[in-house]
Amino acid sequence: MHRSRRLASNLHDLRSAAASLPDAIVLLDQQQRVRWFNHAAESLLGLRRPHDRNALLQARLHGSELANWLQGDSSHPLHDIAAPGQPSRHINVEMLPFGHHQHLLLARDISHLTRLEQIRRDFVANVSHELRTPLTVIHGYLELLDPEDVPDLAPVLGEMRTQSRRMGQIVEDLLTLSRLETQNTVSDERVPMASLLATLRKEAEAISQGRHRIVLDATAHVDLLGSPKDLHSALSNLVSNAVRYTPADGTITIRWERTPDGALYSVNDTGFGIPADHLARLTERFYRVSSSRSRDSGGTGLGLSIVKHVLNLHQGRLEIHSTPGQGSTFACRFGKERLLPEHTGEDDFPPDFPDTP
């Protein structure tokens, strides 16, 4: 009897502790019927006692993004969705196996993080916009100054022009990144890959100035569905990075090939390579493997962030493989839903692609 009382007390303490957690907890049986839930689940998910005991959670949350997730593959976490109980709040949700064919649904309120992220985005966008005009004015006046009129200041003027252009490019990249972060969808158009790949090769040759071997290997013979301007920006970024970070006499290989689940665009170089501990952070803003090398190459540190966001808008993903001293491969995977049969009409060349780099 003493042992039974102790077990009952322990069970009561566990229930009380779980009930007090700020994260929503829902215990589900193998049919996804609600067995138990805590107070946070009432607030975030809109569940009610005792009405929702033994109710099908998917039916109870019908019409919400969470219900669609429960109906599909719920083995992967669901990030940043509106809370069914309070649409003004945002939650992350995951499903964990529990006991004998049971599951534990966890929902965490991330509203404060969402607000902070929005503040950061607004700050970056506003500051970048405000910097654009004064930088344009400064760069304009620097262009008016002729180094031949003041020979002693020629090196200084040259460096000021270089840094002015670099600051201007950073501002433009920040504005592009801010726009992509606030976008949820893209305007789908046909993107003729044959024309785009030819343009990317010309751009690589222009940046290289004959110092590298540029190879184009296109065997996919399919086009993409998406934003011509954004896709050109992302794919071009990978090419220009490969050229800038590959020593003279190296090889840059641009590939466009079919895969079992869609198509793959990749850029392979024979450059310096990247240590494994840096790979996970390469798409962060301003993250640099080597600060001095990035500055010397003229990079802004924002290119891979732009690539990641463009791919997210096109339901694609970026894969990075690298071996120090041997080179790197940056690959963009696109699903079958983004592929179109190749069309070779003369009107395919989109106006957003420049004829020359």
Side-chain angles (χ1 to χ4, degrees), residues 13 25 32 70 98 122 128 152 158 169 177-178 182 207 219 235 251 285 289 302 304 334:
D13 291 342
I25 301 175
Q32 290 193 356
L70 290 168
F98 175 78
D122 292 343
S128 301
D152 293 341
Q169 188 59 56
L177 197 53
S178 296
T182 56
I207 299 171
T219 59
L235 304 187
T251 300
R285 296 177 183 221
V289 177
L302 296 167
L304 291 179
F334 297 95

Side-chain angles (χ1 to χ4, degrees), residues 117-177:
E117 181 66 16
Q118 188 59 50
I119 291 172
R120 180 190 66 80
R121 290 175 181 173
D122 292 343
F123 173 78
V124 171
N126 292 335
V127 169
S128 301
H129 184 75
E130 292 299 324
L131 285 174
R132 176 189 265 174
T133 299
L135 280 173
T136 301
V137 173
I138 291 171
H139 187 68
Y141 278 119
L142 287 172
E143 290 296 325
L144 290 176
L145 296 174
D146 191 344
E148 294 183 358
D149 295 338
V150 279
D152 293 341
L153 296 179
V156 176
L157 289 174
E159 180 63 19
M160 290 173 69
R161 287 178 177 179
T162 299
Q163 295 303 324
S164 173
R165 283 192 294 269
R166 183 166 178 270
M167 289 176 67
Q169 188 59 56
I170 290 175
V171 168
E172 293 302 320
D173 283 353
L174 281 171
L175 289 172
T176 298
L177 197 53

Side-chain angles (χ1 to χ4, degrees), residues 174-252:
L174 281 171
L175 289 172
T176 298
L177 197 53
S178 296
R179 174 180 62 82
L180 291 171
E181 286 180 333
T182 56
Q183 270 186 254
N184 295 318
T185 58
V186 292
S187 178
D188 289 336
E189 303 175 38
R190 175 184 288 274
V191 182
M193 289 302 294
S195 300
L196 176 54
L197 291 168
T199 299
L200 295 175
R201 181 174 186 171
K202 289 180 182 178
E203 292 178 354
E205 291 171 344
I207 299 171
S208 173
Q209 295 291 309
R211 294 179 295 111
H212 306 86
R213 179 170 174 257
I214 311 297
V215 178
L216 176 59
D217 181 15
T219 59
H221 304 299
V222 290
D223 292 336
L224 280 175
L225 182 67
S227 166
K229 182 178 180 180
D230 290 337
L231 284 172
H232 175 250
S233 173
L235 304 187
S236 175
N237 225 306
L238 297 182
V239 171
S240 61
N241 280 352
V243 175
R244 289 191 176 102
Y245 297 118
T246 300
D249 299 323
T251 300
I252 314 297

Side-chain angles (χ1 to χ4, degrees), residues 49-354:
R49 290 187 175 85
H51 175 71
D52 291 326
R53 290 277 178 85
N54 297 318
L56 280 171
L57 185 60
Q58 182 183 330
R60 176 64 182 80
L61 302 175
H62 179 71
S64 68
E65 192 173 350
L66 182 53
N68 296 333
W69 177 73
L70 290 168
Q71 185 178 8
D73 182 11
S74 57
S75 60
H76 298 287
L78 188 62
H79 297 291
D80 197 5
I81 64 167
Q86 298 187 46
S88 62
R89 298 167 74 177
H90 292 255
I91 57 175
N92 285 345
V93 186
E94 62 180 319
M95 187 82 79
L96 302 176
F98 175 78
H100 184 63
H101 299 300
Q102 301 178 78
H103 290 86
L104 201 63
L105 184 140
L106 303 177
R108 172 163 295 179
D109 187 357
I110 60 165
S111 302
H112 63 295
L113 296 176
T114 304
R115 285 193 294 271
L116 289 173
E117 181 66 16
Q118 188 59 50
I119 291 172
R120 180 190 66 80
R121 290 175 181 173
D122 292 343
F123 173 78
V124 171
N126 292 335
V127 169
S128 301
H129 184 75
E130 292 299 324
L131 285 174
R132 176 189 265 174
T133 299
L135 280 173
T136 301
V137 173
I138 291 171
H139 187 68
Y141 278 119
L142 287 172
E143 290 296 325
L144 290 176
L145 296 174
D146 191 344
E148 294 183 358
D149 295 338
V150 279
D152 293 341
L153 296 179
V156 176
L157 289 174
E159 180 63 19
M160 290 173 69
R161 287 178 177 179
T162 299
Q163 295 303 324
S164 173
R165 283 192 294 269
R166 183 166 178 270
M167 289 176 67
Q169 188 59 56
I170 290 175
V171 168
E172 293 302 320
D173 283 353
L174 281 171
L175 289 172
T176 298
L177 197 53
S178 296
R179 174 180 62 82
L180 291 171
E181 286 180 333
T182 56
Q183 270 186 254
N184 295 318
T185 58
V186 292
S187 178
D188 289 336
E189 303 175 38
R190 175 184 288 274
V191 182
M193 289 302 294
S195 300
L196 176 54
L197 291 168
T199 299
L200 295 175
R201 181 174 186 171
K202 289 180 182 178
E203 292 178 354
E205 291 171 344
I207 299 171
S208 173
Q209 295 291 309
R211 294 179 295 111
H212 306 86
R213 179 170 174 257
I214 311 297
V215 178
L216 176 59
D217 181 15
T219 59
H221 304 299
V222 290
D223 292 336
L224 280 175
L225 182 67
S227 166
K229 182 178 180 180
D230 290 337
L231 284 172
H232 175 250
S233 173
L235 304 187
S236 175
N237 225 306
L238 297 182
V239 171
S240 61
N241 280 352
V243 175
R244 289 191 176 102
Y245 297 118
T246 300
D249 299 323
T251 300
I252 314 297
T253 304
I254 305 168
R255 289 190 175 90
W256 175 237
E257 55 191 324
R258 288 299 302 268
T259 62
D261 58 349
L264 182 74
Y265 168 86
S266 63
V267 180
N268 173 264
D269 64 59
T270 57
F272 303 104
I274 304 167
D277 56 332
H278 290 281
L279 296 181
R281 300 189 60 190
L282 285 180
T283 57
E284 295 179 11
R285 296 177 183 221
F286 298 112
Y287 185 80
R288 301 177 187 275
V289 177
S290 171
S291 299
S292 59
R293 188 185 298 166
S294 296
R295 281 193 292 267
D296 292 342
S297 68
T300 64
L302 296 167
L304 291 179
S305 294
I306 292 174
V307 172
K308 182 186 73 172
H309 282 85
V310 170
L311 291 179
N312 287 343
L313 289 172
H314 291 82
Q315 296 78 51
R317 69 178 188 271
L318 176 65
E319 298 177 354
I320 306 172
H321 305 281
S322 186
T323 303
Q326 296 183 23
S328 306
T329 299
F330 289 77
C332 306
R333 288 194 178 274
F334 297 95
K336 292 180 179 178
E337 69 278 2
R338 283 285 167 185
L339 304 186
L340 295 172
E342 187 177 42
H343 185 56
T344 57
E346 293 182 358
D347 59 344
D348 278 350
F349 200 87
D352 291 308
F353 296 158

Side-chain angles (χ1 to χ4, degrees), residues 17-30:
S20 302
L21 289 174
D23 297 341
I25 301 175
V26 184
L27 180 60
L28 303 171
D29 64 18
Q30 56 186 350

